[in-house]
Amino acid sequence: MYRRRFVLAAGTTLVAPAVVRAQEIIRSAKGNYRLVTLSRDLEQPWSMAFLPDGRMLITERPGRLRVFASGRLERTALSGLPKVHGRGQAGLLDICLHPDFARNRVLYLSYISDGPGGPVTTAGRAELGAGGLHGMTPIFEALPRRSGSLNLGSRLLFDRAGLLYVTCGDRFQMNQAQDLADLAGKIVRLRDDGSVPSDNPFVGRAGARPEIFTWGNRNPQGLALHPETGKVWEVEHGPRGGDELNILKAGANYGWPRVTWGVNYDGSKITDNRSLPGMEDALRTWVPSISPCGLSFYTGDRFPGWKGSLFTGALSAYALFRIELDGERYRSEERLLEGRLPYIRDVRQGPDGLIYLVTHSDDGGLFRLEPA
């Protein structure tokens, strides 16, 4: 999937090229823009977080956390990262800041850790200090452990109540998504220390894990908080076809694999069901698959025509999708950057009102969209 290059150890120094500003104006339905290259010296970047001091943190799947500051990628990776299982789709994945980061300097990472029984999706927290992370502590594991490094989920998001959502893929064992005793194929909700909120939907239910917030999710690869309603929106990968855009509801079953518009990768049927009573229908289903990844509402003023749009990377479509909504209903979509960048893994609105992207390849990059 990715072009190969040598793997660097944590802390290795790397060349940090300067910003390259594109001259080409790219036209879209509601706002022309330029694609600006900020760095092309990242290895399989997965996610970004903007610090209050203007720096940006970027995760690299092999297990490094990099800093982009003052227009350049810093040469040395931060120290104090957890050991990650870096095979297949596994490694160091998402990053998010504690809602009170400006005071407590606490951030969260999702990563795949190994151990007896196999690798598992893990969320951990640490304090950001000079040169690195301190006190890295796992606070959640998507148990049970099992073999395999596919369909791991691993997005992180805090809601307005200060609760943390962690997405857990089905680990390519589809029926586990319908088993409430198993955390595969679920999205969980936790307090900031990893404990379980008392109002989680399955607290006190025999045979159900209390961490679970939603179930029947195949491989959730994007979470975003609606800027007006505060609801959590999600995108997930279907099998061959059947990618979804959803709004999360406490205790809701999103159907996988009892409901899907997709088929197995060999073309064989999974189910005839496109909808079932008691299961949530997606707001948008993509057939064929686009492999949505990363999710962000645009609320800035730099692109007035895009305000209110929802953005997601599309790995298999080699594009950035801009989705227009009518309240909580899907209206339409536009493909941006089609064929210009490989594997857009994450998309975020920066504090400057511009849109930032990372591309998940061995010679991955950090890019920015600017109005033209």
Side-chain angles (χ1 to χ4, degrees):
M1 180 176 180
Y2 310 113
R3 295 192 295 276
R4 302 304 306 160
R5 76 176 185 184
F6 59 88
V7 177
L8 301 169
T12 299
T13 59
L14 300 172
V15 177
V19 171
V20 178
R21 296 191 177 276
Q23 299 302 312
E24 180 186 3
I25 295 176
I26 308 172
R27 305 193 181 280
S28 77
K30 292 189 175 179
N32 298 335
Y33 60 98
R34 288 186 174 89
L35 176 65
V36 176
T37 302
L38 301 177
S39 174
R40 291 302 301 264
D41 204 10
L42 290 157
E43 185 178 10
Q44 298 181 24
W46 215 91
S47 185
M48 305 168 274
F50 296 92
L51 300 178
D53 62 10
R55 294 181 297 161
M56 182 192 307
L57 301 181
I58 305 169
T59 61
E60 291 179 307
R61 193 186 63 82
R64 293 181 297 275
L65 184 59
R66 308 295 301 282
V67 178
F68 185 84
S70 301
R72 288 185 175 272
L73 185 68
E74 293 190 356
R75 296 176 181 272
T76 304
L78 294 178
S79 63
L81 275 290
K83 182 179 179 180
V84 305
H85 176 77
R87 299 178 183 174
Q89 297 172 0
L92 178 63
L93 304 177
D94 209 5
I95 182 170
C96 75
L97 305 184
H98 189 282
D100 200 17
F101 175 86
R103 181 187 62 83
N104 62 24
R105 310 291 293 175
V106 171
L107 58 75
Y108 294 75
L109 297 172
S110 66
Y111 57 97
I112 311 306
S113 61
D114 206 355
V120 70
T121 298
T122 304
R125 57 178 275 164
E127 183 177 338
L128 178 64
L133 305 184
H134 304 286
M136 188 73 213
T137 304
I139 63 167
F140 168 77
E141 294 181 335
L143 299 173
R145 291 180 175 270
R146 47 172 56 93
S147 62
S149 299
L150 300 174
N151 289 9
L152 298 161
S154 213
R155 287 293 178 185
L156 304 172
L157 179 75
F158 275 97
D159 68 11
R160 289 180 178 174
L163 297 176
L164 176 65
Y165 295 74
V166 185
T167 72
C168 310
D170 72 351
R171 304 297 303 273
F172 225 71
Q173 298 185 29
M174 62 176 71
N175 291 321
Q176 303 311 117
Q178 291 294 319
D179 182 357
L180 287 170
D182 191 315
L183 290 174
K186 313 299 190 301
I187 298 175
V188 304
R189 186 175 70 162
L190 310 167
R191 295 192 182 97
D192 64 354
D193 61 358
S195 61
V196 176
S198 60
D199 61 346
N200 266 12
F202 296 104
V203 168
R205 177 168 167 173
R209 295 294 301 250
E211 302 98 326
I212 295 172
F213 189 74
T214 68
W215 51 313
N217 303 103
R218 183 176 181 270
N219 189 18
Q221 288 287 304
L223 292 176
L225 204 63
H226 193 285
E228 296 177 2
T229 68
K231 293 182 180 180
V232 179
W233 291 51
E234 174 253 6
V235 285
E236 65 182 71
H237 291 187
R240 185 174 160 187
D243 299 341
E244 295 182 1
L245 170 65
N246 295 300
I247 302 175
L248 300 190
K249 301 177 182 178
N253 185 344
Y254 289 82
W256 174 254
R258 294 181 59 194
V259 172
T260 183
W261 286 78
V263 298
N264 285 310
Y265 291 111
D266 63 4
S268 60
K269 183 187 297 184
I270 297 171
T271 178
D272 289 322
N273 297 322
R274 301 293 180 260
S275 182
L276 284 175
M279 295 186 179
E280 292 295 317
D281 293 332
L283 274 69
R284 169 70 164 119
T285 302
W286 285 277
V287 180
S289 289
I290 66 165
S291 307
C293 206
L295 196 65
S296 182
F297 283 95
Y298 184 72
T299 61
D301 296 320
R302 302 294 298 275
F303 296 98
W306 293 355
K307 197 161 189 174
S309 294
L310 184 61
F311 286 84
T312 187
L315 300 179
S316 56
Y318 295 94
L320 176 68
F321 274 47
R322 183 182 69 85
I323 301 168
E324 292 196 354
L325 305 165
D326 181 6
E328 294 187 347
R329 293 181 296 178
Y330 167 89
R331 180 190 296 168
S332 63
E333 64 194 38
E334 179 183 20
R335 297 187 179 207
L336 308 177
L337 299 172
E338 194 166 16
R340 294 174 180 268
L341 294 176
Y343 309 123
I344 296 174
R345 176 61 74 175
D346 200 13
V347 52
R348 306 273 178 165
Q349 178 182 319
D352 54 7
L354 300 175
I355 294 173
Y356 291 77
L357 315 166
V358 289
T359 55
H360 189 186
S361 59
D362 279 2
D363 56 351
L366 171 66
F367 302 89
R368 182 170 64 210
L369 302 187
E370 297 181 355

